[in-house]
Amino acid sequence: MKSWIPLLTAVLCTLWVGSKFRLPAPEKSQHGQATRLASLPVVWQGRLQPLDSVARNALLQIREKQSLYVSAWKGQAGRKAETIPASAWILEMFFAPERADTYPIFRIDNESVKGLLHLPLDKDEATNQDGKHYSWNQISPHLFDLLSEATRASRVEKDLRNAYENAVIDAWDAASLYRQLKATVGPAGSSEELPVAMRNWRIKFEEARIAFEARQRGEDANEKALDWLNEQMNSPLLLQPEKPEGEWLRVAMHLRNLPESDPPHPLITTLHKAGEAYRADDKAAFAAAVDEAHAWSEAHPVYLHADDQEDKDPPRSPLAHALSEVKFNTAEPFYQGMVLSVVAFLFLIASWFSAERLEWSRRTGTAILWVVFGVLTFGICWRMFHEERPPVTNLYSSALLIGWGVVLAGLILEKVYPRAIGAVVAAMATFASLIVAHYLARSGDTMVMLQAVLDTTFWLATHVVIVTLGYAGTFVAGFFGLVYVVISYFDRDEDQSKMLGAMAFGVVCFSVLFSFVGTVLGGLWADQSWGRFWGWDPKENGALLIVLWNALILHARLGGMVKQHGFLKLCIVGNIVTAWSWFGTNMLDIGLHSYGRMDAAYYALIAFCGVNLIVALLGRRWQKPVGDEPELPGPPHGTSGSATVPAQ
Amino acid sequence: MTDSTSPAESAPAAPPAPGNPNPLLALWKAMTSFRTAVVLLALCMLLVLGGTFAQVHEGLYLAQERWFKSWFIFRQAGDPWWVPPFFPGGYLLGTLFLINMVCSHFRRFTRPPGGMLVMIVHYLIVLAALYGVTVALIMKPLIFTGVLAAIGLADGLMSRFLKLGSSRKLGVDLSHFGIAVLMIGQLFTDMTAVESNMAFTEGETRDYTQHHMDFEIFAETDKNEKNETVVAFPQDMLEPESELKHDQLPFVIRVKEWHLNGALVNRTEAIEAEQQLRAAMATMDARYADPATLPELAKSAAENPEHVSAWREALRGMGLDGTLSTDAAAKFLADKPAEAKQFLERLRTAFRERMTTRFRMSGSETALAAEHLLSGTPLSATEPPVQGTQGAATRGYLVKAMPEQRTMNGRNLSWAVVEVLEGGKSLGTWLLHPELRTQEVSTAAGKWRIGTRFERYYHPFSVTLLKAQHLKYAGTEIPKDYRSQVRLRNPARNEDREVDIYMNHPLRYQYRDANDRLVSLALYQQQMGMGGPENAPRGFSQLQVVDNSTWFTPYFGCIVVGYGLTRHFLLHLLTFSRRRTAAAANA
């Protein structure tokens, strides 16, 4: 009875996630053509990616969101907010910069920075001002003040900077990024005829060159021209090479070396056509220009990865590579996984109220979790094939792999003990790690290129993956502890607590193995790259703490110092130790491992540790009756160990 | 994680029974108990945590020495609030940990049902196989997993079908053994490993490496002579009043002063710099003297971010709005003469500070000049210190003592004042500093050159830097690849080959030295840049060179522990699933 519900739900969930991968249809949707143009490949921050990714990550940095309101803001009385996606925004930046400059895109919260830039502090319905977001036109008159303050702030040592100084630096970085992106298409974005636009561009470039030389000699230089040159020379590398072994070029670099009589790169001509059509709102002409750009890109395959040429891999179409990434960006599978894990959690918790009658609910929740597992597996594999890298390359991808590891562990335990406990832990822990990933993704591109020392497939694939799975295991055991304390308030079933203890014990065994081997492999990697096996650097010490903690609770359990009650509470402390190692060590900001550095999330870490500590302490007072032996040494109970601990 | 099948083994260290108050037995029990293990693990965690936090204040290097490579830690003045008055150090905890682990095995040892011999043979076979795997791992990292799996399978089959009584505990024993290997190996590395480096530009050849911190005093015969003789005295021998002698050396070097760090200054240049700075300040003072010129000054300041920030500083110092533009500030002050005067005074102070800071940062001569200008006593009016009667000291050079640098990136330049004695007769005193390179000493036995430099270690092979390659990702500053193409020559072995040394791919090289000690070197890519003469810069590369004969132990230890733990847990899992199947069948 009702046995079809779980299967049907799983199929529906899969279809739902699958449907997210469809791109908006060019002919129907308003932004369809924008997405198509934004699928063109560029090289930015050393990585081949679609313009769409450049735009999304830039918006995240400038505005903390992947989209923006162009007219009214959300919640404004009496007006409907109009949102445009990143791909539409980048088009405005290229082809209608005057309009783009009026969009409230710079998110500024610091009052002193607002003061410095003479921005309105509060929201004002009349001037359509929300008090948080400001346009380029509002900021640019005081850019010079911003620069001088940012220069001063950047000279202050990092640890000593105050909130204002950090905000000033962020604002300056955002303004620079904005200008660099606007300069991407160069004269192709101009509303003049292309030859005229190019001639004007050359005149400007010559002025800038003279200013640059004057600066080199230490003389007064035309600062405006230098600024212009700076943004031209730091924009994304837009021009795809015509030959596979050629180099990607910035528009400025291309035009600088181009004889005046020669025609420019075909993409410049095509993009100029697209721009004219865009401004004239001529949909057919725009679509034709975009098709032309796509066709050109497709017809000129390149080596996607630096070692392709050495490895004798054939050159491939960068457009296909970029399109695949646009689809992935649009679908946001990890976000969908997060949503599904909440749904699964609700089904599973419901089954706690009546295990027999609501068995279908447990099964449904578990089925949804299997879909989550599938989605995560797909997402992680896609990233691996796309980057041609092992699964974990940075903090963000470690959060993904932890999510994957905990959902798998929980589902296996659910299979062994079908009591909606392993699955609940899986749902909770996956959700938590995906949330962490979601926030980590806000700091920019999640597929950045790797520094030389990290650029090794073997060690990334072994050390990083194994140690990350060790983290995942310790978290799973910790979440079992949390569930145990919560359940113990409602249900004092001894079997239940024994079962939880057994599951947590198994998981801790797994984590001690993975965290130990992973940590030592890290040492071996350090020996390979720096000539020392162990250097007591904060990240190494953090990993060592996890190993020590897991060993400690295992020995405490085996030595009879704690029974399952104490053991599960100690597992909760494992959450704190692991969170410290994962994030806390990056906040210390010292040592060779600080490439995983991050500023925010400090309070989140404290809160997480606090909650775990409180729950671990709460569990104590209430627990005595739940079949727990006194923790002081006493006559050993010959049978108690073998019944609760698997395989003794 | 010893099997606790028998209840007595799982009991924690009980206090001695009333009838048997043997203190030795009590100690033995305490030493081998699980409780002690747990307490030691907890103490280790606190130590690791403390040592991590200490790095914020003490720096990586110092914190390492104080917390981990020590027996005890005592609270010192200046420590943060959380440092306890006393704590066991890394060596002490490690030793106790090892004792506890080893003794626990003795205490809980039971004769295996299959007999001792079978057990020993079984253990040795597995260990030997794991050793082989480790060698394979280092030779060819990617095939070793297959070999490891094959060993596991063989071990499993052997245990299953031969019914080896020893097989249940093998996993735990192995993992503890591996941990001991790791810890003891690390201790040896701490005590014996020597780090040095090899720095060269393209085309240069080195047959020595140099220490990154310690210095030596050396003397060499003139380069023109056919048989060059070099005599060096390492840092350990250098103390004030020590006399340095050697058979090959026709004179004695008496150390009069020895300092760990100092900056070389040319006094003549410093006096010139002082005059420059004084003149520049006078010009500036004159320019910012008259309040009437403020609007004009505001206009020129607006073009220069540096000036704008000085204006803001001055405005803020007077309690005014620091975000005013320079023009607005000038307008605001136009009709307030008293305030305008104060404002100019503050501006002058701000500019003076900036000028002295710039002088301080740009070189040791200008730094000395700036310091003297601030202190009020002009350099030209002071007596130069007496640091030598011969050589560089007579050409206006002097060394300013500097505090010792103890952080990872800080660099010391050790210096000395030495007297040279030939046949008991003094030839004079010399000032030695690494930046002075060598100075001539004329003796009756011929011309020698003396100096100080980083301690050198000579090797029987030489390395020539052919090419220093530094790749970045397109359009970024992110380093993609550092690679030194070198030619390695060892005439004694007729070796002459090209090697690439790059990130994660060190060059390992072994040889026997004069004392028949096996030297295991590894050369790592460390730094890269441009060097050589300014008009024709060439690629520069620095290799980190580690002499560590125990480098192999962590590799072996890791494999042994990994195998042991995997084996033990798989066994648990097997028993567990069997029991569940049995329980399901009963139900």
Side-chain angles (χ1 to χ4, degrees):
Chain A
M1 180 196 125
K2 285 179 181 168
S3 61
W4 48 269
I5 295 180
L7 188 66
L8 183 68
T9 320
V11 171
L12 286 178
C13 288
T14 315
L15 287 177
W16 178 68
V17 175
S19 72
K20 297 277 175 188
F21 282 87
R22 262 201 336 236
L23 292 181
E27 51 284 356
K28 281 185 199 154
S29 127
Q30 190 189 350
H31 300 304
Q33 283 297 351
T35 311
R36 251 170 78 71
L37 186 100
S39 306
L40 281 178
V42 295
V43 171
W44 177 233
Q45 290 166 344
R47 185 168 83 81
L48 179 69
Q49 52 189 308
L51 273 170
D52 181 61
S53 296
V54 176
R56 279 170 190 265
N57 292 323
L59 268 185
L60 274 178
Q61 191 187 330
I62 300 174
R63 201 182 175 272
E64 301 178 9
K65 289 266 161 52
Q66 289 197 348
S67 55
L68 78 157
Y69 299 120
V70 289
S71 53
W73 68 87
K74 196 175 173 184
Q76 188 180 7
R79 296 185 63 176
K80 199 169 168 296
E82 188 197 344
T83 316
I84 62 169
S87 51
W89 168 70
I90 198 87
L91 239 66
E92 294 275 290
M93 292 276 278
F94 289 171
F95 300 133
E98 301 80 20
R99 201 155 60 215
D101 286 346
T102 65
Y103 295 151
I105 176 176
F106 291 92
R107 165 102 192 207
I108 295 173
D109 290 317
N110 188 292
E111 303 273 308
S112 307
V113 178
K114 291 184 196 174
L116 176 75
L117 298 172
H118 300 273
L119 299 171
L121 294 179
D122 299 310
K123 66 166 122 181
D124 181 1
E125 305 273 345
T127 55
N128 206 15
Q129 178 64 57
D130 70 351
K132 285 185 212 144
H133 299 94
Y134 305 93
S135 71
W136 172 254
N137 285 343
Q138 284 174 290
I139 284 182
S140 52
H142 305 282
L143 214 53
F144 191 65
D145 291 336
L146 185 62
L147 170 62
S148 73
E149 279 296 88
T151 316
R152 184 185 64 79
S154 61
R155 290 205 192 117
V156 178
E157 214 171 300
K158 215 181 256 169
D159 302 345
L160 303 176
R161 282 179 205 154
N162 57 30
Y164 162 72
E165 285 160 342
N166 281 324
V168 158
I169 293 177
D170 286 349
W172 173 254
D173 287 347
S176 309
L177 177 63
Y178 184 87
R179 289 198 289 185
Q180 289 162 9
L181 291 190
K182 219 160 62 171
T184 308
V185 290
S190 166
S191 53
E192 296 152 341
E193 290 286 311
L194 188 57
V196 182
M198 276 174 49
R199 200 173 319 124
N200 289 341
W201 190 93
R202 278 176 207 274
I203 294 169
K204 266 190 160 174
F205 188 84
E206 187 56 24
E207 267 173 30
R209 199 183 56 76
I210 292 166
F212 183 75
E213 281 173 3
R215 167 60 54 86
Q216 291 271 322
R217 289 192 301 271
E219 293 165 13
D220 280 345
N222 180 347
E223 296 283 341
K224 271 220 165 107
L226 281 179
D227 264 2
W228 180 85
L229 184 68
N230 198 14
E231 66 200 42
Q232 298 287 322
M233 297 309 253
N234 285 299
S235 61
L237 279 59
L238 175 78
L239 300 180
Q240 186 180 332
E242 298 191 34
K243 295 197 182 85
E245 62 279 359
E247 275 184 12
W248 288 75
L249 285 180
R250 295 194 170 93
V251 171
M253 299 292 280
H254 167 70
L255 292 182
R256 190 184 65 177
N257 299 329
L258 185 76
E260 240 170 281
S261 51
D262 285 13
H265 191 285
L267 274 179
I268 294 184
T269 324
T270 318
L271 283 174
H272 188 261
K273 266 189 242 166
E276 278 180 335
Y278 184 80
R279 281 184 298 272
D281 205 19
D282 182 348
K283 291 205 170 68
F286 184 75
V290 173
D291 283 342
E292 200 179 315
H294 274 218
W296 191 89
S297 174
E298 197 116 61
H300 295 83
V302 299
Y303 293 113
L304 294 188
H305 297 273
D307 13 352
D308 277 359
Q309 200 173 354
E310 284 168 37
D311 297 350
K312 305 255 158 47
D313 287 342
R316 282 170 284 174
S317 158
L319 184 70
H321 189 78
L323 261 174
S324 155
E325 190 170 325
V326 174
K327 279 185 192 157
F328 198 78
N329 286 345
T330 317
E332 299 184 296
F334 299 117
Y335 180 77
Q336 318 304 346
M338 197 159 84
V339 173
L340 285 181
S341 67
V342 174
V343 178
F345 178 77
L346 294 177
F347 273 107
L348 291 162
I349 280 291
S351 78
W352 280 11
F353 292 101
S354 170
E356 284 94 45
R357 273 195 302 135
L358 293 172
E359 170 67 8
W360 64 269
S361 178
R362 187 192 72 78
R363 284 179 183 276
T364 310
T366 314
I368 298 175
L369 271 186
W370 279 108
V371 176
V372 173
F373 177 71
V375 170
L376 293 189
T377 311
F378 168 78
I380 290 171
C381 288
W382 180 87
R383 283 176 57 93
M384 283 170 66
F385 283 110
H386 195 70
E387 290 184 272
E388 300 196 353
R389 291 271 178 209
V392 182
T393 52
N394 51 23
L395 218 48
Y396 169 78
S397 43
S398 77
L400 296 182
L401 192 72
I402 287 183
W404 179 85
V406 293
V407 74
L408 179 63
L411 283 169
I412 291 174
L413 289 168
E414 184 67 26
K415 202 100 203 134
V416 180
Y417 295 102
R419 304 275 290 267
I421 288 177
V424 161
V425 165
M428 275 171 24
T430 314
F431 176 75
S433 60
L434 290 178
I435 276 277
V436 169
H438 185 72
Y439 279 93
L440 285 173
R442 283 186 163 198
S443 57
D445 192 3
T446 61
M447 294 190 276
V448 286
M449 302 315 277
L450 296 170
Q451 298 222 6
V453 64
L454 299 174
D455 189 5
T456 142
T457 308
F458 177 72
W459 294 107
L460 278 178
T462 52
H463 158 63
V464 182
V465 170
I466 291 176
V467 89
T468 308
L469 289 176
Y471 287 11
T474 318
F475 275 134
V476 170
F479 275 76
F480 272 117
L482 293 176
V483 167
Y484 169 73
V485 170
V486 173
I487 289 183
S488 67
Y489 279 85
F490 304 105
D491 177 8
R492 302 193 167 184
D493 177 6
E494 198 167 329
D495 282 349
Q496 192 99 319
S497 80
K498 277 179 184 168
M499 187 182 77
L500 273 163
M503 289 199 275
F505 182 85
V507 174
V508 170
C509 287
F510 167 88
S511 340
V512 87
L513 168 67
F514 275 65
S515 55
F516 183 90
V517 173
T519 305
V520 176
L521 281 173
L524 300 184
W525 184 5
D527 184 62
Q528 285 288 324
S529 53
W530 299 312
R532 55 151 191 73
F533 167 65
W534 195 259
W536 301 106
D537 133 338
K539 195 79 184 172
E540 287 170 335
N541 289 351
L544 180 62
L545 282 177
I546 299 182
V547 179
L548 289 173
W549 181 253
N550 280 325
L552 187 150
I553 57 181
L554 275 188
H555 285 82
R557 179 79 184 78
L558 290 164
M561 269 167 270
V562 292
K563 299 288 182 250
Q564 73 261 12
H565 167 63
F567 182 75
L568 281 160
K569 278 194 321 196
L570 290 178
C571 287
I572 300 181
V573 181
N575 275 342
I576 300 176
V577 178
T578 316
W580 160 257
S581 169
W582 197 16
F583 285 106
T585 48
N586 295 328
M587 294 173 188
L588 273 176
D589 212 2
I590 33 172
L592 301 157
H593 275 99
S594 45
Y595 49 78
R597 204 186 70 86
M598 48 173 305
D599 297 314
Y602 176 71
Y603 293 104
L605 178 70
I606 302 245
F608 179 77
C609 293
V611 167
N612 275 288
L613 201 64
I614 289 168
V615 175
L617 291 176
L618 275 183
R620 183 173 182 84
R621 204 171 299 150
W622 288 67
Q623 280 311 299
K624 281 287 183 281
V626 191
D628 196 24
E629 287 85 0
E631 294 188 3
L632 290 169
H637 296 255
T639 51
S640 69
S642 55
T644 52
V645 179
Q648 288 246 332
Chain B
M1 275 150 289
T2 309
D3 266 18
S4 49
T5 30
S6 102
E9 283 177 5
S10 65
N20 184 14
N22 186 344
L24 275 179
L25 191 69
L27 180 70
W28 171 248
K29 282 198 168 167
M31 230 163 59
T32 55
S33 76
F34 274 116
R35 185 161 292 244
T36 311
V38 169
V39 169
L40 284 174
L41 283 167
L43 286 175
C44 282
M45 288 185 70
L46 289 176
L47 177 80
V48 170
L49 204 58
T52 312
F53 278 118
Q55 292 177 14
V56 178
H57 307 281
E58 300 174 23
L60 186 63
Y61 178 73
L62 266 194
Q64 232 184 72
E65 295 287 318
R66 181 178 168 204
W67 291 75
F68 301 121
K69 299 181 181 175
S70 64
W71 293 90
F72 298 103
I73 297 148
F74 296 100
R75 193 181 163 83
Q76 298 167 352
D79 275 340
W81 58 270
W82 50 265
V83 179
F86 161 81
F87 205 79
Y91 284 160
L92 180 61
L93 282 182
T95 312
L96 292 175
F97 194 88
L98 268 180
I99 294 175
N100 174 263
M101 211 166 69
V102 174
C103 293
S104 301
H105 275 269
F106 279 110
R107 177 171 160 199
R108 295 184 179 81
F109 183 77
T110 44
R111 242 184 83 82
M116 283 295 283
L117 189 68
V118 176
M119 182 188 109
I120 291 172
V121 171
H122 184 188
Y123 275 37
L124 285 181
I125 291 177
V126 173
L127 270 179
L130 291 178
Y131 188 84
V133 170
T134 319
V135 176
L137 162 74
I138 289 157
M139 305 289 224
K140 200 88 196 142
L142 286 170
I143 55 157
F144 90 103
T145 25
V147 186
L148 193 62
I151 291 175
L153 197 65
D155 176 25
L157 291 175
M158 215 156 68
S159 310
R160 179 102 174 76
F161 293 109
L162 299 180
K163 297 208 165 22
L164 292 180
S166 52
S167 72
R168 266 206 87 77
K169 287 177 78 175
L170 176 63
V172 171
D173 292 349
L174 276 182
S175 47
H176 283 169
F177 174 76
I179 289 170
V181 167
L182 279 173
M183 289 177 65
I184 294 170
Q186 192 57 26
L187 182 69
F188 268 97
T189 306
D190 274 1
M191 294 193 308
T192 60
V194 180
E195 287 184 19
S196 55
N197 59 60
M198 186 181 268
F200 36 25
T201 50
E202 282 168 5
E204 286 184 320
T205 303
R206 294 273 178 273
D207 61 349
Y208 60 83
T209 57
Q210 51 187 21
H211 197 270
H212 67 285
M213 279 168 77
D214 290 356
F215 282 81
E216 64 187 15
I217 288 183
F218 71 102
E220 60 187 17
T221 50
D222 238 357
K223 289 252 154 73
N224 301 334
E225 287 184 28
K226 260 190 187 158
N227 292 320
E228 192 188 348
T229 316
V230 182
V231 181
F233 304 95
Q235 184 157 324
D236 302 344
M237 298 175 66
L238 307 179
E239 264 161 41
E241 294 314 310
S242 57
E243 296 208 333
L244 312 174
K245 297 176 200 165
H246 193 268
D247 296 343
Q248 305 254 14
L249 203 62
F251 50 83
V252 175
I253 300 175
R254 182 188 288 155
V255 181
K256 299 190 70 137
E257 285 185 52
W258 170 254
H259 304 274
L260 282 173
N261 195 13
L264 183 73
V265 187
N266 188 315
R267 197 177 133 86
T268 328
E269 282 174 28
I271 290 174
E272 270 170 34
E274 193 183 48
Q275 281 159 358
Q276 263 177 26
L277 185 58
R278 205 185 294 272
M281 279 187 177
T283 320
M284 189 272 297
D285 280 345
R287 191 164 176 222
Y288 290 87
D290 184 5
T293 57
L294 262 179
E296 206 177 300
L297 292 171
K299 205 161 285 163
S300 71
E303 298 290 316
N304 186 333
E306 189 93 9
H307 287 212
V308 173
S309 82
W311 278 63
R312 290 189 193 293
E313 207 171 285
L315 284 173
R316 261 190 234 115
M318 290 172 64
L320 298 172
D321 179 6
T323 62
L324 279 183
S325 76
T326 52
D327 281 337
K331 229 172 262 165
F332 177 77
L333 292 167
D335 49 353
K336 303 183 184 67
E339 281 171 342
K341 217 166 172 196
Q342 196 199 345
F343 177 73
L344 282 173
E345 174 66 42
R346 281 180 187 276
L347 260 189
R348 287 198 296 268
T349 318
F351 282 127
R352 213 169 291 143
E353 257 168 38
R354 281 173 170 70
M355 288 161 100
T356 35
T357 314
R358 201 173 310 140
F359 257 65
R360 269 213 197 124
M361 308 299 267
S362 56
S364 36
E365 277 80 22
T366 50
L368 188 70
E371 226 162 80
H372 272 271
L373 206 79
L374 281 184
S375 70
T377 46
L379 186 61
S380 44
T382 56
E383 270 303 302
V386 184
Q387 290 179 325
T389 61
Q390 302 281 332
T394 59
R395 295 196 305 272
Y397 282 101
L398 58 95
V399 175
K400 223 178 118 292
M402 305 279 278
E404 189 193 346
Q405 291 283 318
R406 308 185 77 169
T407 55
M408 281 284 272
N409 299 321
R411 224 171 83 126
N412 288 315
L413 289 173
S414 301
W415 57 287
V417 177
V418 298
E419 186 172 14
V420 177
L421 302 150
E422 193 181 21
K425 196 176 100 337
S426 174
L427 299 179
T429 53
W430 273 262
L431 171 67
L432 306 182
H433 187 274
E435 285 171 4
L436 287 171
R437 295 173 190 275
T438 58
Q439 298 169 58
E440 199 176 274
V441 177
S442 306
T443 69
K447 279 185 184 166
W448 282 71
R449 306 188 66 81
I450 57 171
T452 78
R453 63 184 181 201
F454 282 112
E455 252 180 65
R456 282 187 183 178
Y457 310 95
Y458 283 87
H459 302 289
F461 63 92
S462 72
V463 180
T464 310
L465 181 63
L466 302 176
K467 192 168 162 35
Q469 193 179 7
H470 181 183
L471 293 183
K472 292 173 187 163
Y473 287 105
T476 67
E477 290 299 311
I478 309 172
K480 184 175 184 310
D481 187 25
Y482 295 114
R483 188 179 296 251
S484 293
Q485 289 172 18
V486 301
R487 176 164 284 276
L488 179 86
R489 288 193 192 89
N490 187 346
R493 282 197 237 171
N494 266 338
E495 224 174 322
D496 188 352
R497 58 188 168 108
E498 274 186 24
V499 201
D500 275 13
I501 299 174
Y502 54 106
M503 271 296 164
N504 299 317
H505 291 84
L507 164 69
R508 296 197 188 272
Y509 196 83
Q510 290 191 327
Y511 67 85
R512 287 199 176 274
D513 69 2
N515 307 322
D516 207 35
R517 184 179 77 92
L518 185 70
V519 179
S520 298
L521 294 182
L523 289 77
Y524 303 86
Q525 184 61 56
Q526 192 178 35
Q527 275 176 23
M528 211 153 241
M530 294 307 280
E534 251 176 62
N535 48 3
R538 280 170 296 167
F540 163 85
S541 172
Q542 179 167 312
L543 304 177
Q544 157 107 326
V545 183
V546 180
D547 172 3
N548 178 15
S549 37
T550 48
W551 68 273
F552 187 75
T553 54
Y555 290 78
F556 182 49
C558 174
I559 297 230
V560 171
V561 179
Y563 182 79
L565 286 178
T566 313
R567 186 184 200 281
H568 191 64
F569 293 141
L570 279 182
L571 214 63
H572 268 201
L573 205 63
L574 216 65
T575 324
F576 172 71
S577 72
R578 247 185 236 145
R579 188 174 301 142
R580 272 189 64 85
T581 324
N586 286 344

